[in-house]
Short mmCIF file of all heavy atoms in Angstrom, two decimals:
data_model
loop_
_atom_site.label_atom_id
_atom_site.label_comp_id
_atom_site.label_asym_id
_atom_site.label_seq_id
_atom_site.Cartn_x
_atom_site.Cartn_y
_atom_site.Cartn_z
N VAL A 19 88.20 77.34 84.90
CA VAL A 19 87.75 77.55 86.31
C VAL A 19 88.85 76.89 87.21
O VAL A 19 89.27 77.60 88.24
CB VAL A 19 86.41 76.75 86.57
CG1 VAL A 19 86.11 76.65 88.07
CG2 VAL A 19 85.32 77.45 85.86
N ILE A 20 89.49 75.76 86.90
CA ILE A 20 90.61 75.27 87.68
C ILE A 20 91.69 76.23 87.69
O ILE A 20 92.29 76.52 88.68
CB ILE A 20 91.01 73.82 87.02
CG1 ILE A 20 89.91 72.81 87.35
CG2 ILE A 20 92.26 73.45 87.84
CD1 ILE A 20 90.09 71.58 86.57
N LYS A 21 92.16 76.76 86.57
CA LYS A 21 93.31 77.63 86.41
C LYS A 21 92.93 78.91 87.20
O LYS A 21 93.96 79.33 87.90
CB LYS A 21 93.56 77.94 84.96
CG LYS A 21 94.69 78.83 84.62
CD LYS A 21 94.86 79.11 83.13
CE LYS A 21 95.97 80.05 82.88
NZ LYS A 21 96.10 80.41 81.55
N LYS A 22 91.80 79.47 87.08
CA LYS A 22 91.49 80.75 87.85
C LYS A 22 91.66 80.53 89.24
O LYS A 22 92.07 81.26 90.09
CB LYS A 22 89.99 81.11 87.51
CG LYS A 22 89.59 82.30 88.19
CD LYS A 22 88.19 82.75 87.69
CE LYS A 22 87.67 83.88 88.64
NZ LYS A 22 86.22 83.97 88.61
N ASN A 23 91.13 79.35 89.72
CA ASN A 23 91.05 79.02 91.18
C ASN A 23 92.57 78.70 91.69
O ASN A 23 92.76 79.12 92.87
CB ASN A 23 89.99 78.00 91.59
CG ASN A 23 88.69 78.57 91.58
OD1 ASN A 23 88.32 79.28 92.50
ND2 ASN A 23 87.85 78.49 90.56
N TYR A 24 93.27 77.99 90.92
CA TYR A 24 94.65 77.87 91.38
C TYR A 24 95.39 79.22 91.60
O TYR A 24 96.12 79.38 92.47
CB TYR A 24 95.42 76.97 90.25
CG TYR A 24 95.31 75.47 90.40
CD1 TYR A 24 95.46 74.61 89.24
CD2 TYR A 24 95.06 74.88 91.58
CE1 TYR A 24 95.40 73.30 89.28
CE2 TYR A 24 94.92 73.46 91.66
CZ TYR A 24 95.16 72.76 90.50
OH TYR A 24 95.04 71.39 90.59
N THR A 25 95.07 80.02 90.57
CA THR A 25 95.79 81.38 90.60
C THR A 25 95.36 82.10 91.80
O THR A 25 96.16 82.67 92.57
CB THR A 25 95.44 82.21 89.23
OG1 THR A 25 95.91 81.43 88.10
CG2 THR A 25 95.95 83.46 89.26
N GLU A 26 94.05 82.13 92.15
CA GLU A 26 93.53 82.80 93.25
C GLU A 26 93.98 82.16 94.60
O GLU A 26 94.48 82.88 95.51
CB GLU A 26 91.96 82.68 93.33
CG GLU A 26 91.29 83.54 94.43
CD GLU A 26 91.41 85.01 94.18
OE1 GLU A 26 91.86 85.43 93.09
OE2 GLU A 26 91.40 85.83 95.19
N ILE A 27 94.19 80.76 94.70
CA ILE A 27 94.79 80.27 95.72
C ILE A 27 96.28 80.85 95.98
O ILE A 27 96.59 81.12 97.13
CB ILE A 27 94.73 78.66 95.69
CG1 ILE A 27 93.50 78.12 95.80
CG2 ILE A 27 95.70 78.14 96.71
CD1 ILE A 27 93.33 76.66 95.55
N GLY A 28 96.92 80.82 94.92
CA GLY A 28 98.37 81.22 94.93
C GLY A 28 98.42 82.66 95.39
O GLY A 28 99.26 83.17 96.28
N LYS A 29 97.39 83.62 94.85
CA LYS A 29 97.49 84.92 95.23
C LYS A 29 97.20 85.20 96.73
O LYS A 29 97.87 85.93 97.34
CB LYS A 29 96.50 85.73 94.35
CG LYS A 29 96.33 87.19 94.51
CD LYS A 29 95.40 87.87 93.78
CE LYS A 29 95.22 89.22 94.02
NZ LYS A 29 94.15 89.88 93.27
N LEU A 30 96.28 84.37 97.07
CA LEU A 30 95.73 84.51 98.53
C LEU A 30 96.99 83.95 99.51
O LEU A 30 97.29 84.58 100.58
CB LEU A 30 94.55 83.76 98.92
CG LEU A 30 93.21 84.21 98.24
CD1 LEU A 30 92.20 83.28 98.44
CD2 LEU A 30 92.99 85.54 98.84
N TYR A 31 97.68 82.92 99.01
CA TYR A 31 98.86 82.40 99.84
C TYR A 31 99.86 83.44 99.87
O TYR A 31 100.41 83.70 100.94
CB TYR A 31 99.42 81.14 99.29
CG TYR A 31 100.61 80.61 100.08
CD1 TYR A 31 100.32 79.75 101.23
CD2 TYR A 31 101.83 81.02 99.82
CE1 TYR A 31 101.37 79.36 101.96
CE2 TYR A 31 102.96 80.70 100.61
CZ TYR A 31 102.70 79.79 101.55
OH TYR A 31 103.79 79.41 102.31
N TYR A 32 100.28 84.12 98.75
CA TYR A 32 101.26 85.01 98.81
C TYR A 32 100.91 86.28 99.59
O TYR A 32 101.75 86.71 100.32
CB TYR A 32 101.49 85.56 97.22
CG TYR A 32 102.73 86.50 97.13
CD1 TYR A 32 103.94 86.03 97.21
CD2 TYR A 32 102.55 87.89 97.21
CE1 TYR A 32 105.06 86.90 97.04
CE2 TYR A 32 103.54 88.76 97.10
CZ TYR A 32 104.80 88.29 97.19
OH TYR A 32 105.86 89.26 97.14
N GLU A 33 99.70 86.65 99.46
CA GLU A 33 99.28 87.85 100.23
C GLU A 33 99.35 87.52 101.75
O GLU A 33 99.72 88.35 102.56
CB GLU A 33 97.77 88.24 99.99
CG GLU A 33 97.73 88.90 98.57
CD GLU A 33 96.26 89.25 98.08
OE1 GLU A 33 95.53 88.88 98.81
OE2 GLU A 33 96.30 89.79 97.02
N GLN A 34 99.03 86.38 102.13
CA GLN A 34 99.01 85.91 103.47
C GLN A 34 100.35 85.51 104.10
O GLN A 34 100.80 85.79 105.23
CB GLN A 34 98.06 84.64 103.76
CG GLN A 34 97.76 84.29 105.14
CD GLN A 34 96.82 85.23 105.83
OE1 GLN A 34 96.00 85.88 105.14
NE2 GLN A 34 96.99 85.36 107.17
N TYR A 35 101.20 84.83 103.29
CA TYR A 35 102.47 84.31 103.84
C TYR A 35 103.80 84.63 102.94
O TYR A 35 104.76 84.10 103.15
CB TYR A 35 102.26 82.75 103.88
CG TYR A 35 101.18 82.16 104.60
CD1 TYR A 35 100.07 81.58 103.89
CD2 TYR A 35 101.18 82.28 105.91
CE1 TYR A 35 98.93 81.15 104.56
CE2 TYR A 35 100.06 81.80 106.74
CZ TYR A 35 98.99 81.24 106.02
OH TYR A 35 97.81 80.76 106.72
N GLY A 36 103.40 85.49 101.95
CA GLY A 36 104.60 85.77 101.07
C GLY A 36 105.83 86.33 101.69
O GLY A 36 106.96 86.22 101.19
N GLU A 37 105.78 86.95 102.89
CA GLU A 37 106.84 87.59 103.60
C GLU A 37 107.65 86.47 104.28
O GLU A 37 108.88 86.55 104.50
CB GLU A 37 106.50 88.62 104.57
CG GLU A 37 105.87 89.89 103.86
CD GLU A 37 106.85 90.59 103.05
OE1 GLU A 37 108.04 90.77 103.42
OE2 GLU A 37 106.54 91.04 101.95
N SER A 38 107.00 85.33 104.76
CA SER A 38 107.52 84.36 105.30
C SER A 38 106.96 82.98 104.92
O SER A 38 106.36 82.34 105.66
CB SER A 38 107.64 84.45 106.89
OG SER A 38 106.25 84.53 107.26
N PRO A 39 107.24 82.64 103.58
CA PRO A 39 106.54 81.47 103.18
C PRO A 39 107.12 80.07 103.66
O PRO A 39 108.36 80.12 104.07
CB PRO A 39 106.85 81.58 101.68
CG PRO A 39 108.15 82.24 101.50
CD PRO A 39 108.05 83.13 102.77
N ASP A 40 106.36 79.07 103.58
CA ASP A 40 106.81 77.81 103.90
C ASP A 40 108.04 77.42 102.89
O ASP A 40 108.03 77.91 101.83
CB ASP A 40 105.65 76.81 103.75
CG ASP A 40 106.07 75.31 104.08
OD1 ASP A 40 105.91 75.04 105.15
OD2 ASP A 40 106.50 74.58 103.04
N ALA A 41 108.97 76.68 103.27
CA ALA A 41 110.08 76.32 102.41
C ALA A 41 109.66 75.87 101.00
O ALA A 41 110.34 76.10 100.02
CB ALA A 41 111.03 75.40 103.16
N LEU A 42 108.55 75.12 101.03
CA LEU A 42 108.07 74.57 99.73
C LEU A 42 107.66 75.66 98.73
O LEU A 42 107.90 75.44 97.53
CB LEU A 42 106.79 73.74 100.03
CG LEU A 42 106.13 73.00 98.86
CD1 LEU A 42 107.17 71.85 98.35
CD2 LEU A 42 104.95 72.26 99.35
N PHE A 43 107.20 76.86 99.21
CA PHE A 43 106.86 77.89 98.33
C PHE A 43 107.87 79.07 98.37
O PHE A 43 107.52 80.11 97.65
CB PHE A 43 105.48 78.45 98.73
CG PHE A 43 104.49 77.34 98.78
CD1 PHE A 43 104.02 76.84 99.99
CD2 PHE A 43 103.98 76.78 97.69
CE1 PHE A 43 103.07 75.88 100.13
CE2 PHE A 43 102.95 75.83 97.63
CZ PHE A 43 102.55 75.35 98.80
N GLU A 44 108.90 79.03 98.93
CA GLU A 44 109.83 80.09 99.12
C GLU A 44 110.45 80.50 97.66
O GLU A 44 110.35 81.79 97.46
CB GLU A 44 111.08 79.56 99.92
CG GLU A 44 112.10 80.73 100.33
CD GLU A 44 113.04 80.31 101.30
OE1 GLU A 44 113.00 79.25 101.89
OE2 GLU A 44 113.91 81.03 101.49
N LYS A 45 110.77 79.70 96.91
CA LYS A 45 111.32 80.05 95.52
C LYS A 45 110.30 80.83 94.73
O LYS A 45 110.68 82.01 94.26
CB LYS A 45 111.69 78.81 94.81
CG LYS A 45 112.12 79.02 93.35
CD LYS A 45 112.52 77.78 92.57
CE LYS A 45 112.93 77.85 91.18
NZ LYS A 45 112.93 76.60 90.44
N GLN A 46 108.97 80.46 94.74
CA GLN A 46 108.05 81.11 93.92
C GLN A 46 107.63 82.45 94.62
O GLN A 46 107.42 83.41 93.82
CB GLN A 46 106.63 80.18 93.92
CG GLN A 46 106.89 79.09 93.01
CD GLN A 46 107.58 77.89 93.79
OE1 GLN A 46 107.79 77.83 94.92
NE2 GLN A 46 107.89 76.73 93.00
N CYS A 47 107.64 82.49 95.97
CA CYS A 47 107.35 83.88 96.49
C CYS A 47 108.44 84.76 96.30
O CYS A 47 108.17 86.03 96.12
CB CYS A 47 107.02 83.65 98.11
SG CYS A 47 105.59 82.74 98.42
N LYS A 48 109.64 84.27 96.37
CA LYS A 48 110.73 85.18 96.11
C LYS A 48 110.73 85.68 94.58
O LYS A 48 110.96 86.90 94.41
CB LYS A 48 112.11 84.46 96.38
CG LYS A 48 113.39 85.38 96.18
CD LYS A 48 114.60 84.71 96.61
CE LYS A 48 115.71 85.71 96.50
NZ LYS A 48 116.96 84.99 96.87
N ALA A 49 110.43 84.81 93.79
CA ALA A 49 110.27 85.21 92.30
C ALA A 49 109.17 86.22 92.07
O ALA A 49 109.23 87.26 91.35
CB ALA A 49 109.94 83.98 91.53
N ILE A 50 108.13 86.20 92.76
CA ILE A 50 106.90 87.01 92.70
C ILE A 50 107.42 88.44 93.32
O ILE A 50 107.20 89.46 92.61
CB ILE A 50 105.66 86.61 93.46
CG1 ILE A 50 105.07 85.41 92.73
CG2 ILE A 50 104.67 87.70 93.65
CD1 ILE A 50 103.91 84.66 93.50
N GLY A 51 108.04 88.38 94.40
CA GLY A 51 108.54 89.66 95.01
C GLY A 51 109.49 90.33 94.11
O GLY A 51 109.36 91.56 93.83
N ASN A 52 110.52 89.59 93.55
CA ASN A 52 111.42 90.15 92.55
C ASN A 52 110.71 90.79 91.29
O ASN A 52 111.08 91.89 90.96
CB ASN A 52 112.43 89.22 92.15
CG ASN A 52 113.35 88.72 93.27
OD1 ASN A 52 113.61 89.49 94.17
ND2 ASN A 52 114.13 87.60 93.14
N ALA A 53 109.79 90.11 90.83
CA ALA A 53 109.07 90.47 89.59
C ALA A 53 108.34 91.82 90.02
O ALA A 53 108.24 92.70 89.25
CB ALA A 53 108.11 89.43 89.22
N ARG A 54 107.58 91.87 91.14
CA ARG A 54 106.99 93.00 91.69
C ARG A 54 107.91 94.18 91.73
O ARG A 54 107.45 95.28 91.36
CB ARG A 54 106.20 92.77 92.93
CG ARG A 54 104.96 91.99 92.77
CD ARG A 54 104.25 91.85 94.19
NE ARG A 54 102.90 91.45 94.01
CZ ARG A 54 102.02 91.24 94.94
NH1 ARG A 54 102.28 91.57 96.24
NH2 ARG A 54 100.84 90.89 94.67
N ASN A 55 109.04 94.08 92.28
CA ASN A 55 110.00 95.07 92.37
C ASN A 55 110.49 95.53 90.88
O ASN A 55 110.61 96.74 90.76
CB ASN A 55 111.17 94.56 93.16
CG ASN A 55 110.88 94.55 94.64
OD1 ASN A 55 109.93 95.21 95.18
ND2 ASN A 55 111.58 93.68 95.29
N GLY A 56 110.56 94.63 90.14
CA GLY A 56 111.00 95.01 88.70
C GLY A 56 109.91 95.73 88.05
O GLY A 56 110.10 96.74 87.33
N VAL A 57 108.55 95.38 88.23
CA VAL A 57 107.40 96.24 87.74
C VAL A 57 107.57 97.62 88.22
O VAL A 57 107.42 98.52 87.50
CB VAL A 57 106.05 95.50 88.05
CG1 VAL A 57 104.96 96.51 87.84
CG2 VAL A 57 105.99 94.22 87.29
N LYS A 58 107.79 97.81 89.50
CA LYS A 58 107.82 99.06 90.20
C LYS A 58 109.01 99.92 89.55
O LYS A 58 108.77 101.09 89.16
CB LYS A 58 108.21 99.07 91.64
CG LYS A 58 106.85 98.62 92.44
CD LYS A 58 107.14 98.48 93.94
CE LYS A 58 106.06 97.78 94.60
NZ LYS A 58 106.31 97.57 96.00
N GLU A 59 110.11 99.35 89.46
CA GLU A 59 111.30 100.04 88.70
C GLU A 59 110.97 100.37 87.25
O GLU A 59 111.21 101.50 86.89
CB GLU A 59 112.46 99.21 88.74
CG GLU A 59 113.00 98.88 90.09
CD GLU A 59 113.51 100.25 90.83
OE1 GLU A 59 114.12 101.12 90.19
OE2 GLU A 59 113.05 100.41 92.00
N LEU A 60 110.29 99.45 86.51
CA LEU A 60 110.12 99.75 85.13
C LEU A 60 108.93 100.77 84.97
O LEU A 60 108.93 101.69 84.22
CB LEU A 60 109.53 98.38 84.41
CG LEU A 60 110.68 97.45 84.30
CD1 LEU A 60 110.12 96.18 83.90
CD2 LEU A 60 111.69 97.90 83.29
N GLN A 61 108.02 100.81 85.92
CA GLN A 61 107.10 101.94 85.98
C GLN A 61 107.52 103.23 86.18
O GLN A 61 107.15 104.26 85.60
CB GLN A 61 105.89 101.52 87.00
CG GLN A 61 104.95 100.44 86.51
CD GLN A 61 103.99 99.99 87.58
OE1 GLN A 61 104.15 100.14 88.81
NE2 GLN A 61 102.82 99.48 87.10
N LYS A 62 108.60 103.37 87.16
CA LYS A 62 109.26 104.56 87.44
C LYS A 62 109.90 104.96 86.19
O LYS A 62 109.87 106.26 85.87
CB LYS A 62 110.38 104.35 88.45
CG LYS A 62 109.76 104.24 89.84
CD LYS A 62 110.88 104.04 90.77
CE LYS A 62 110.39 103.72 92.26
NZ LYS A 62 111.40 103.55 93.15
N LYS A 63 110.58 104.17 85.36
CA LYS A 63 111.26 104.57 84.18
C LYS A 63 110.24 105.09 83.12
O LYS A 63 110.55 106.06 82.39
CB LYS A 63 112.07 103.32 83.66
CG LYS A 63 113.29 103.03 84.43
CD LYS A 63 113.98 101.89 83.80
CE LYS A 63 115.28 101.57 84.62
NZ LYS A 63 116.12 100.47 84.06
#
């Protein structure tokens, strides 16, 4: 339950602030964005 809710908090944060995250979360948001772009490219392939 803790893990699920931590994940949900992170997802909600990313959806809300992922484009301009607080400096504390910038690295993680950038990594998520890069991974999402990677998924899109791989799906195209």
